[in-house]
Amino acid sequence: MTLTEKILARASHRESVQPGDNIWIDVDVLMTHDVCGPGTIGVFKQHFGPNAKVWDRDKVVIIPDHYIFTADKMASRNVEVLRQFAAEQNIKYFYDVGTPSYKGVCHIALPEEGHTRPGEVLFGTDSHTCTAGAFGEFATGIGNTDAGFILGAGKLWVKVPETMRFIFHGTLPPYLMAKDLILAVIGDIGCDGATYKAMEFDGDGVYALNIEERMTLCNMVIEAGGKNGVIAPDKVTLDYVNARNAGQKPFTTVHSDKNARYCFEKVYDVGKLEPVVAKPHSPDNRAYVSEIRGTKLDRAYIGSCTGGKLTDFRAAAGVLKGKSVRIDTFVVPATSEIMAGLKRERINGQTLEEVFLSAGAKLGQPSCAACLGGPSDTFGRLNGPISCISTTNRNFPGRMGHKEARVYLASPLTVAASALTGVITDPRDCL
Ligand code: SF4
């Protein structure tokens, strides 16, 4: 069996499963946030009763993160619904807005707060829940109906996916990041290339990446239609997980069998790849930066669960250090822990925050901010038909605000290099 099949077999109390099997699986963690939480709670109450209790209050994690720093009344009401539900159900892990426990973007908050463990099953009411596959678990996004059912029953009916394997060999050059690797994969197989498939990443090029970069790889499998992304755990994974594991919960690491069956396999030599951009209006609309360099831009955006981690900001700050941006540049840390890192980590004596501010960038508060557009007062939102280069994960029309805006997806290195020139720029010109 593959790693994904083994996790699903365990969660269904079977010796083995095969792709295509429909099985009930036990859920280890269910995450929801301010956009889908109210709907999920509504489904739960409708079907399990107004006074029903969740199946396990320690396995429900509620993380408001999307529409947070806005005057929009409906957005505030969503958070209030979460607040009431968390109090009524005595939910242990609720990272409320305006309190010291506020975190920011759920997919980064989950591992930081110790809710991701190898071998487990994590569902979340958000398509980028697949990010947590970087910890060697089965993690995927679901809708409100499924999540409402899990709240009451702690189980879900799933079909076992086939697994595709992507092997990265070689040493990543300093001008490339995990974002380039996953954009290259999506460009190769297309937005529907992995529909309802597990995407397993392997090879020395993957295991040389730090845990945040591995999260970036798994984060964007959904942009290829993948059911889940997964990387078998190694010492890097275990060091991270053991340092944070909420409640010191025991877990079992799982690896694919040597003779596991894959429905597809592709091998990449990372030393031969080039910086990649996804042009408007689809993540699979790939171009190499060298092909479209010089394309005029109005804005740069560095943030989100894909490109708003400390590794992303270290890379961007390395490019911006001592220089000035030529276009509006927005910097949004994914979580409060990353925000603290921006104030702590230094390059040549300057904190990362100082590097960004002295380069002329604007720094926002930890949240999804403009990644999903949001209300019109959202920090960094594209409120006009402008061109933006962004470290986020989607560039469909209207995704970051205005439906005629043009969004180019790229690595933090490419976005920072382009912020300095105002046109799409190859990071090799700046490093
Ligand atoms: S940062 Fe963007 S992609 Fe990530 S959870 Fe928030 S809205 Fe979704």
Side-chain angles (χ1 to χ4, degrees):
M1 288 186 288
T2 66
L3 172 47
T4 296
E5 290 156 12
K6 282 185 170 178
I7 295 171
L8 294 179
R10 179 198 63 82
S12 65
H13 308 282
R14 291 168 189 233
E15 285 287 309
S16 65
V17 296
Q18 290 191 7
D21 286 353
N22 289 297
I23 52 174
W24 284 104
I25 56 170
D26 292 341
V27 177
D28 293 297
V29 176
L30 173 69
M31 184 280 299
T32 191
H33 54 44
D34 55 306
V35 176
C36 297
T40 295
I41 292 164
V43 170
F44 168 65
K45 295 210 166 194
Q46 184 184 350
H47 292 281
F48 289 86
N51 300 317
K53 289 290 177 197
V54 299
W55 100 102
D56 188 334
R57 76 175 189 98
D58 293 350
K59 292 183 176 175
V60 178
V61 181
I62 302 181
I63 309 178
D65 57 356
H66 276 64
Y67 304 146
I68 302 304
F69 301 105
T70 167
D72 186 275
K73 287 198 172 55
M74 295 307 279
S76 308
R77 188 178 153 275
N78 275 1
V79 179
E80 190 51 40
V81 171
L82 300 182
R83 208 168 271 145
Q84 284 171 9
F85 186 72
E88 162 196 314
Q89 299 283 335
N90 197 17
I91 298 291
K92 191 165 169 185
Y93 301 113
F94 173 44
Y95 299 95
D96 196 5
V97 181
T99 72
S101 66
Y102 175 70
K103 287 295 301 180
V105 182
C106 56
H107 308 303
I108 313 305
L110 280 168
E112 283 181 357
E113 293 299 308
H115 301 295
T116 54
R117 283 167 290 262
E120 289 197 352
V121 170
L122 165 71
F123 285 111
T125 60
D126 190 286
S127 57
H128 292 102
T129 304
C130 51
T131 309
F135 299 89
E137 65 181 322
F138 179 80
T140 193
I142 52 174
N144 296 353
T145 312
D146 281 351
F149 181 79
I150 292 173
L151 274 183
K155 296 176 180 299
L156 195 62
W157 176 243
V158 298
K159 185 171 83 171
V160 179
E162 294 181 296
T163 300
M164 303 169 82
R165 184 153 72 149
F166 299 85
I167 301 170
F168 291 98
H169 283 311
T171 305
L172 201 65
Y175 48 84
L176 292 182
M177 298 185 72
K179 182 69 172 288
D180 296 290
L181 304 186
I182 192 64
L183 285 177
V185 168
I186 297 165
D188 281 345
I189 66 175
C191 272
D192 58 357
T195 300
Y196 209 92
K197 305 271 200 310
M199 293 173 70
E200 185 175 321
F201 299 100
D202 201 355
D204 52 282
V206 170
Y207 287 102
L209 298 174
N210 71 19
I211 201 75
E212 287 190 337
E213 286 280 84
R214 296 182 197 182
M215 288 164 71
T216 302
L217 271 188
C218 291
N219 174 274
M220 286 191 72
V221 302
I222 186 62
E223 273 63 56
K227 180 70 173 168
N228 65 306
V230 75
I231 299 171
D234 67 352
K235 184 173 181 308
V236 170
T237 327
L238 296 179
D239 285 350
Y240 185 96
V241 170
N242 287 327
R244 294 170 184 257
N245 186 0
Q248 292 304 304
K249 202 172 158 212
F251 59 86
T252 307
T253 57
V254 180
H255 293 79
S256 291
D257 289 328
K258 289 249 172 319
N259 58 349
R261 269 190 311 214
Y262 296 93
C263 64
F264 172 95
E265 190 166 285
K266 190 164 172 75
V267 180
Y268 291 84
D269 177 347
V270 299
K272 294 198 174 132
L273 293 174
E274 284 193 50
V276 183
V277 163
K279 295 180 290 182
H281 295 284
S282 180
D284 63 356
N285 194 11
R286 176 188 51 192
Y288 293 110
V289 174
S290 54
E291 296 171 317
I292 56 164
R293 66 200 312 163
T295 304
K296 192 179 165 314
L297 298 164
D298 303 297
R299 178 171 296 189
Y301 186 94
I302 309 172
S304 85
C305 53
T306 318
K309 303 181 289 308
L310 210 44
T311 304
D312 303 308
F313 293 121
R314 276 187 206 119
V319 172
L320 296 179
K321 170 90 181 96
K323 303 188 176 126
S324 297
V325 296
R326 286 183 75 163
I327 49 176
D328 277 345
T329 300
F330 293 81
V331 169
V332 189
T335 64
S336 49
E337 181 174 326
I338 294 167
M339 175 67 109
L342 294 187
K343 293 176 185 297
R344 184 188 64 241
E345 282 210 15
R346 290 175 184 274
I347 302 182
N348 299 341
Q350 265 194 321
T351 65
L352 300 184
E353 180 183 40
E354 287 164 351
V355 169
F356 290 125
L357 294 178
S358 56
K362 300 175 183 70
L363 182 61
Q365 302 186 72
S367 66
C368 295
C371 173
L372 186 63
S376 59
D377 60 349
T378 300
F379 182 79
R381 186 181 190 275
L382 309 187
N383 285 331
I386 61 176
S387 290
C388 175
I389 189 160
S390 174
T391 66
T392 54
N393 49 38
R394 286 186 182 150
N395 57 351
F396 306 121
R399 167 73 184 187
M400 292 185 72
H402 199 281
K403 66 182 181 205
E404 283 163 35
R406 296 170 59 78
V407 176
Y408 296 84
L409 306 175
S411 78
L413 286 172
T414 301
V415 172
S418 305
L420 290 176
T421 58
V423 295
I424 291 179
T425 300
D426 196 313
R428 284 172 285 196
D429 296 345
C430 304
L431 292 171

